[in-house]
């Protein structure tokens, strides 16, 4: 048996709070001494730990009492639910910390200034110069001329949502332009990137089938690194959250992913991204 002072020192819960929990019937002591001192056994400490988890989730004491007094209350299920909710809370905080880190680096994460004509033409020049002769010939044939193909590419920068997404991924117009003007990966590098992508999705499916959360987290971390390298990003959080959104909203994309890696892959990947990063 442990005294109220012992319990307070072990758990960090104040003596005053323990007394209040007793008064409202949330956590009664195991027994009282003849002198009226509260004593707690290990079972009471386990219950206090569960209460602390609920409090970490900002659940009101009255609701905690109702939950724990319910005759159908399942401690194991409650712990699993608490674990999931706390992980989501942690991931959301991790996302906020990443954004704060970007701000401290001088990245404007809320800059939505439109690209100038000069910016667009520079990026198009770079894209066309680094495109393979075969690919460029295919596009010229498709659109009728290189001028028509250029007009098609230019029109993409008039799509406000697409531009907003790009700026969100990079944090600023300057960062996006800088990334676009970096060297384009050659065919061998592209093949390596595709191979890594396949490995990662296979790992995600292994995590899905086994329920291995560590394997899932590692896969999303690897996917983030791959996207950072592929798109010259400082931070892959925004683009991966958009990917998760597309898996949920675009049936054809989800279907193609499922056909390649297995049924439920797209939905699981979206959920795994949200578990890793959380939402703002």
């Amino acid at each position: 048996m442990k005294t109220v002072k012992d319990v307070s020192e072990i758990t960090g819960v104040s003596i005053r709070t323990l007394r209040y929990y007793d008064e409202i019937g949330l956590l009664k002591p195991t027994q009282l001494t003849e002198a009226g001192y509260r004593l707690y056994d290990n079972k009471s400490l386990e219950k206090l730990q569960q209460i602390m988890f609920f409090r970490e989730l900002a659940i009101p004491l009255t609701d905690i009492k109702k939950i724990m007094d319910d005759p159908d209350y399942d401690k194991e299920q409650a712990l699993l639910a608490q674990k999931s909710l706390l992980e989501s809370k942690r991931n959301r905080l991790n996302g906020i910390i990443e954004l704060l880190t970007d701000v401290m680096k001088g990245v404007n994460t809320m800059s939505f200034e439109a690209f100038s004509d000069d910016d667009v033409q520079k990026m198009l020049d770079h894209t066309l110069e680094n495109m393979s002769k075969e690919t460029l010939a295919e596009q010229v044939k498709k659109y009728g001329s290189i001028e028509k193909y250029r007009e098609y590419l230019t029109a993409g920068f008039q799509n406000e949502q697409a531009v907003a997404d790009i700026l969100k991924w990079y944090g600023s117009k300057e960062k996006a332009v800088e990334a676009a003007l970096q060297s384009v990966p050659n065919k061998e590098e592209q093949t390596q990137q595709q191979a890594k992508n396949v490995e990662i999705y296979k790992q995600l499916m292994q995590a899905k089938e086994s329920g291995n959360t560590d394997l899932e987290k590692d896969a999303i971390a690897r996917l983030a690194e791959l996207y950072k390298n592929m798109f010259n990003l400082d931070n892959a959080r925004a683009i991966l959250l958009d990917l998760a959104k597309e898996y949920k909203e675009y049936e054809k994309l989800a279907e193609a992913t499922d056909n390649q890696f297995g049924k439920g892959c797209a939905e699981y990947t979206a959920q795994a991204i949200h578990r890793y990063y959380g939402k703002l």
Side-chain angles (χ1 to χ4, degrees), residues 2 25 29 78 275:
K2 292 179 174 57
R275 281 190 288 269

Side-chain angles (χ1 to χ4, degrees), residues 137 165 184 262:
D165 287 340
V184 176

Side-chain angles (χ1 to χ4, degrees), residues 25-233:
L26 180 60
L27 181 68
K28 305 293 290 184
T30 307
Q31 68 181 64
L32 295 174
T33 66
E34 292 182 1
Y37 293 111
R38 298 173 176 83
L39 296 176
Y40 298 85
D41 61 8
N42 289 335
K43 190 174 181 180
S44 295
L45 290 177
E46 289 179 7
K47 186 175 182 180
L48 176 59
Q49 186 180 56
Q50 292 172 57
I51 293 169
M52 291 168 66
F53 288 146
F54 280 123
R55 290 299 291 151
E56 188 64 34
L57 295 168
I59 296 175
L61 292 176
T62 52
D63 291 343
I64 296 174
K65 188 174 186 306
K66 288 177 185 177
I67 293 169
M68 300 188 75
D69 286 347
D70 189 324
D72 295 325
Y73 175 71
D74 186 322
K75 184 183 78 173
E76 293 302 320
Q77 288 300 316
L79 288 172
L80 286 172
Q82 289 167 338
K83 181 175 181 287
S84 178
L85 289 169
L86 287 169
E87 285 176 343
S88 295
K89 182 179 179 181
R90 177 198 63 195
N91 293 342
R92 180 176 180 276
L93 290 173
N94 284 341
I96 294 172
I97 290 169
E98 285 193 14
L99 290 178
L100 285 172
T101 302
D102 285 345
V103 171
M104 291 169 69
K105 288 178 181 176
V107 176
N108 183 359
T109 59
M110 295 300 288
S111 171
F112 293 97
E113 181 184 354
F115 293 102
S116 68
D117 288 339
D118 186 51
D119 293 329
V120 173
Q121 297 312 314
K122 279 182 182 177
M123 288 187 283
L124 291 184
D125 287 342
H126 181 75
T127 299
L128 295 173
E129 286 169 7
N130 286 276
M131 191 175 289
S132 69
K133 292 181 180 179
E134 295 80 5
T135 302
L136 182 57
E138 288 175 5
Q139 298 305 320
V140 169
K141 182 178 179 181
K142 179 179 178 181
Y143 290 96
S145 68
I146 192 167
E147 289 76 18
K148 290 290 185 183
Y149 179 46
R150 194 180 186 100
E151 286 177 12
Y152 165 76
L153 294 175
T154 302
F157 288 93
Q158 296 170 357
N159 183 320
E160 291 183 2
Q161 184 57 57
V163 171
D165 287 340
I166 291 172
L167 293 172
K168 180 175 61 177
W169 299 343
Y170 289 96
S172 71
K173 180 187 73 172
E174 291 73 23
K175 281 278 186 180
V177 173
E178 180 186 341
L181 296 180
Q182 289 185 25
S183 60
V184 176
N186 57 39
K187 191 171 182 178
E188 182 180 351
E189 290 170 332
Q190 290 176 348
T191 301
Q192 290 174 350
Q193 289 172 346
Q194 290 170 357
K196 285 181 181 179
N197 191 63
V198 170
E199 285 179 12
I200 292 166
Y201 273 84
K202 286 182 177 179
Q203 181 176 332
L204 281 166
M205 288 303 287
Q206 290 175 4
K208 176 181 180 293
E209 292 165 5
S210 65
N212 189 324
T213 56
D214 289 335
L215 196 63
E216 174 190 297
K217 290 174 186 175
D218 179 67
I220 298 300
R222 291 180 64 200
L223 190 63
E225 282 301 313
L226 178 61
Y227 270 62
K228 284 164 68 175
N229 291 329
M230 286 171 58
F231 298 102
N232 299 310
L233 293 163

Side-chain angles (χ1 to χ4, degrees), residues 232-244:
N232 299 310
L233 293 163
D234 290 329
N235 189 313
R237 181 177 186 273
I239 195 171
L240 287 186
L241 285 174
D242 278 349
L243 174 64

